[in-house]
Amino acid sequence: MSLPTSTAPTPPKDSTTAPEALRHRSRLQRSRNRVRTTALFLLFFIGFVSVWHITTAGLDDGGLAPTPAATWDRLTEMLTDAFMLDGPNNVGIFYHLVASLQRVLLGFGLAALVAVPLGLLLGTSRVINDGLDPFIQVLRPVSPLAWLPLGLALLRDSQMTAIFVIFMAAIWPILISTIDGVRRVNPLFLDLAKSLETDTKTRIFKVLLPATLPAIVIGLRTALSTAWLVIVAAEMIVGGRGMGHFVWNEWNALNTPSIVVAIVIIGGVGFVLDRSIAQLQRLVPKA
Amino acid sequence: MPDMMTALSPTQLEREPVMKIEGITKGFNDRKKGFQPVVGTTDVDIHEGEFITIIGPSGCGKSTILKMIAGLESADEGTIRLAGRPIDAPSRELGIVFQQHVLLPWMSARQNVIFALETDPRTKRSKQELASLADEYLDLVNLSHAADRRPHQLSGGMQQRVGIARAFALEPQVMLLDEPLGALDALTRHELQLQLLDLCEKQKRTFIMVTHDVDEALLLSDRILVMGAGPSARIVHDISVPFSRPREVENLDQDPAYHELRHFLLNSLTGH
Ligand SMILES: Nc1ncnc2c1ncn2[C@@H]1O[C@H](COP(=O)(O)OP(=O)(O)OP(=O)(O)O)[C@@H](O)[C@H]1O
Ligand SMILES: [Mg+2]
């Protein structure tokens, strides 16, 4: 929180003649609001931990329910051992996280590589789209996890299967959003491209793609968060390293505080992933 | 002949027209009402260097005719020939300025003009050549100062001027303008009309322009084609505009012939 200090910041170059006093007051207002939200957040946090403590501490369940204290201990432990590499099956949380991220980014990247060109094609060609649409409509509502056994049977490799499942999770949002984006491109842009006698390559890369980019980024964002949702479940089944596998393992060891820590990490990383792809939206040209 | 009072010189009359529109018709299929004829049989000869204006009631098919000339729509019957060859696809020989601005929003004004230049398959130009050529054409419409701005940072009038600069940059045989100033306020429109007048007198080209504005038509054109109301709208009058060039608004205003023509056009538009 930056409370206004005596050193007045230099006014911006294109400063209008807005009275300095007014601006000072609005800055004061903003920092006051920030103090309020922070205080409210702390209040909620303390309330949450208290309720958590009251409901779990002293519960006669053999220590199954995670208490705040046990969770805190486990958190520090997991963070200190984060980079531990003790045999293939006993590794720190960092390596689980990296394994999950790897699968997600691979599956997501492959999905984008397929879905964006395919979406551009289906968005431009009514005929091809109408032929393929039934497939899309039927396959899209299927949970990506339903593909997992098929993946295991056909690929005979758990790593590849996990990537395949992520691929199936990520492809639909990108495809649908791209098709929709192409359809919304100003038809006059295409008339312009035609009247300039541009070749197909120019038409696609200089007109269609940039005009569709905002829609593609929205699709990518949805796809990435879906992929991050799905990976945990997929890893519980395929095993190996990964956040999902870690959670499932800890459950088998009845080590519930670890699961709470893992949930917080999964949530935090998901948040960061979403934020970083949202940055792409800023690079996209304004229409 | 310093003060020529006829629009067409004898040599122009003898020469082959640059564009021949022969017996074109056009209609659209409506899902409920079936086939709807829009443009009735139309024949026009357009000579090199002529400024032609098409004027007519809203919805009569002016844009449709211009799109057929541009090769963006095909005629149901008849042919349009450009320098003897039938137009069957859009071509760089036909520079279009659209009714609303069609600037690519992710490019600056300069890049939009460059885009039109660099896509020319016949001439390869270096980056510097492209940029300086684009700046030249932007300068022609007094937009040098705004060359680096994106379309959303330009006013409506500036956007249309970039579109005009881009069409000029193609150096087309025929310029097609679909109400290029229609979406602008009266003051900006008048200003751009004068700019366009200046431009077409400096850069002798063939123009076909669609407009609603009788004064605009009289100020700019050598010939005015008046279309009747649809369906199956046809050209009902083909008027030569006799005023000498270069034209000045003040001179026109003092010319009784100007007011007579203006009156005639207004009457024929409102259906008398
Ligand atoms: N693609 C199309 N499909 C169906 N009907 C069309 C299509 N394009 C134009 N029309 C119809 O053709 C008629 C003429 O349209 P056009 O745009 O050529 O008119 P206009 O003279 O340019 O009108 P305005 O002065 O308002 O621009 C209208 O009735 C319009 O509804
Ligand atoms: Mg029109």
Side-chain angles (χ1 to χ4, degrees):
Chain A
M1 266 158 291
S2 61
L3 285 164
T5 54
S6 54
T7 52
T10 51
K13 262 190 213 146
D14 60 340
S15 103
T16 50
T17 48
E20 184 61 28
L22 248 175
R23 244 187 292 162
H24 181 78
R25 207 188 311 160
S26 85
R27 221 178 305 140
L28 206 69
Q29 182 75 39
R30 238 177 296 144
S31 56
R32 223 180 262 155
N33 278 347
R34 233 172 292 154
V35 171
R36 271 190 214 138
T37 34
T38 315
L40 209 60
F41 168 77
L42 286 176
L43 202 73
F44 279 132
F45 186 73
I46 293 167
F48 171 73
V49 174
S50 311
V51 172
W52 180 11
H53 178 77
I54 292 163
T55 48
T56 52
L59 210 64
D60 189 18
D61 63 348
L64 193 59
T67 61
T71 305
W72 179 256
D73 289 345
R74 191 71 192 108
L75 175 68
T76 50
E77 229 174 87
M78 276 167 66
L79 290 185
T80 40
D81 292 344
F83 299 100
M84 180 184 66
L85 255 177
D86 187 13
N89 292 320
N90 192 10
V91 298
I93 191 73
F94 174 77
Y95 293 101
H96 287 292
L97 193 57
V98 166
S100 294
L101 279 173
Q102 235 167 27
R103 291 183 182 119
V104 162
L105 293 182
L106 256 169
F108 168 79
L110 285 175
L113 278 182
V114 174
V116 171
L118 191 61
L120 290 177
L121 180 69
L122 296 187
T124 16
S125 163
R126 197 85 239 180
V127 181
I128 303 178
N129 181 71
D130 289 354
L132 268 178
D133 196 54
F135 289 92
I136 298 174
Q137 295 311 330
V138 169
L139 294 182
R140 192 166 62 116
V142 177
S143 162
L145 290 171
W147 295 98
L148 202 146
L150 263 188
L152 283 175
L154 296 174
L155 302 169
R156 297 173 184 275
D157 179 278
S158 62
Q159 181 71 2
M160 299 263 279
T161 302
I163 292 167
F164 169 64
V165 168
I166 294 305
F167 176 87
M168 293 312 290
I171 194 166
W172 309 118
I174 307 175
L175 190 61
I176 304 287
S177 194
T178 306
I179 294 174
D180 194 51
V182 173
R183 298 239 171 99
R184 280 167 204 268
V185 170
N186 184 348
L188 288 174
F189 289 173
L190 304 177
D191 277 354
L192 172 74
K194 273 187 230 157
S195 79
L196 293 176
E197 291 186 65
T198 50
D199 49 32
T200 317
K201 201 177 113 206
T202 314
R203 225 171 277 183
I204 292 173
F205 288 101
K206 289 269 180 110
V207 180
L208 201 60
L209 195 59
T212 316
L213 212 53
I216 294 176
V217 173
I218 290 172
L220 291 177
R221 200 174 165 183
T222 318
L224 190 60
S225 46
T226 311
W228 191 242
L229 284 178
V230 168
I231 191 63
V232 176
E235 284 170 345
M236 285 185 183
I237 302 169
V238 297
R241 278 179 205 169
M243 292 307 287
H245 175 68
F246 175 82
V247 167
W248 196 245
N249 239 4
E250 297 298 296
W251 163 242
N252 284 333
L254 298 182
N255 199 351
T256 49
S258 304
I259 297 176
V260 177
V261 175
I263 286 173
V264 172
I265 292 175
I266 292 169
V269 171
F271 174 73
V272 171
L273 281 179
D274 189 56
R275 273 302 124 117
S276 28
I277 206 153
Q279 293 305 307
L280 261 184
Q281 247 158 344
R282 290 207 191 161
L283 298 181
V284 166
K286 288 213 168 42
Chain B
M1 275 190 289
D3 222 347
M4 221 164 41
M5 285 303 279
T6 46
L8 298 177
S9 66
T11 47
Q12 265 175 320
L13 278 173
E14 284 158 22
R15 249 190 288 157
E16 262 298 288
V18 63
M19 183 176 284
K20 260 180 113 62
I21 298 175
E22 290 170 310
I24 55 162
T25 64
K26 179 78 181 172
F28 293 100
N29 269 315
D30 189 282
R31 225 175 267 165
K32 282 184 207 131
K33 290 184 260 172
F35 184 77
Q36 296 289 307
V38 172
V39 179
T41 317
T42 300
D43 298 272
V44 191
D45 281 358
I46 294 159
H47 295 268
E48 194 160 353
E50 263 189 312
F51 195 121
I52 303 240
T53 297
I54 303 173
I55 195 165
S58 185
C60 69
K62 304 182 293 294
S63 295
T64 307
I65 288 188
L66 215 60
K67 275 190 191 152
M68 287 191 280
I69 296 174
L72 291 167
E73 296 266 11
S74 57
D76 294 339
E77 295 170 89
T79 50
I80 304 174
R81 284 170 200 281
L82 177 67
R85 259 177 293 137
I87 297 170
D88 45 16
S91 139
R92 298 177 67 89
E93 293 303 340
L94 301 155
I96 313 170
V97 179
F98 296 89
Q99 200 160 355
Q100 299 106 24
H101 87 89
V102 187
L103 301 177
L104 302 177
W106 54 89
M107 294 181 181
S108 69
R110 183 188 290 116
Q111 285 166 330
N112 263 287
V113 180
I114 289 177
F115 179 66
L117 289 166
E118 74 184 355
T119 46
D120 192 342
R122 280 156 302 207
T123 36
K124 282 271 157 276
R125 297 185 175 95
S126 72
K127 279 226 154 57
Q128 284 139 325
E129 275 178 296
L130 286 170
S132 70
L133 208 55
D135 284 342
E136 213 174 281
Y137 281 102
L138 284 172
D139 191 39
L140 217 56
V141 293
N142 299 332
L143 269 185
S144 313
H145 64 286
D148 289 312
R149 289 202 222 156
R150 295 270 198 82
H152 72 272
Q153 298 165 319
L154 299 172
S155 71
M158 291 161 111
Q159 290 168 345
Q160 272 313 21
R161 269 142 74 195
V162 178
I164 291 168
R166 177 175 60 193
F168 267 101
L170 295 173
E171 306 204 328
Q173 284 191 35
V174 179
M175 288 271 289
L176 307 173
L177 306 114
D178 190 356
E179 296 193 48
L181 314 179
L184 306 175
D185 63 279
L187 208 66
T188 317
R189 188 161 68 217
H190 187 63
E191 219 170 86
L192 287 198
Q193 279 165 2
L194 296 180
Q195 243 182 54
L196 206 55
L197 179 68
D198 188 44
L199 213 57
C200 67
E201 281 173 357
K202 262 195 280 182
Q203 304 239 332
K204 257 302 169 198
R205 284 194 190 290
T206 313
F207 287 85
I208 305 175
M209 181 176 80
V210 166
T211 184
H212 272 123
D213 186 333
V214 171
D215 292 302
E216 187 173 297
L218 283 170
L219 178 67
L220 294 170
S221 18
D222 299 309
R223 240 168 102 198
I224 299 176
L225 309 177
V226 184
M227 283 183 78
S232 284
R234 293 157 183 263
I235 291 168
V236 289
H237 298 290
D238 183 340
I239 302 162
S240 304
V241 182
F243 312 118
S244 62
R245 290 179 188 274
R247 291 179 183 163
E248 301 277 348
V249 179
E250 296 80 36
N251 295 353
L252 288 183
D253 205 41
Q254 283 159 12
D255 192 337
Y258 175 83
H259 292 279
E260 216 170 285
L261 260 180
R262 187 174 185 274
H263 194 69
F264 174 79
L265 285 171
L266 282 174
N267 275 346
S268 55
L269 277 180
T270 44
H272 292 281

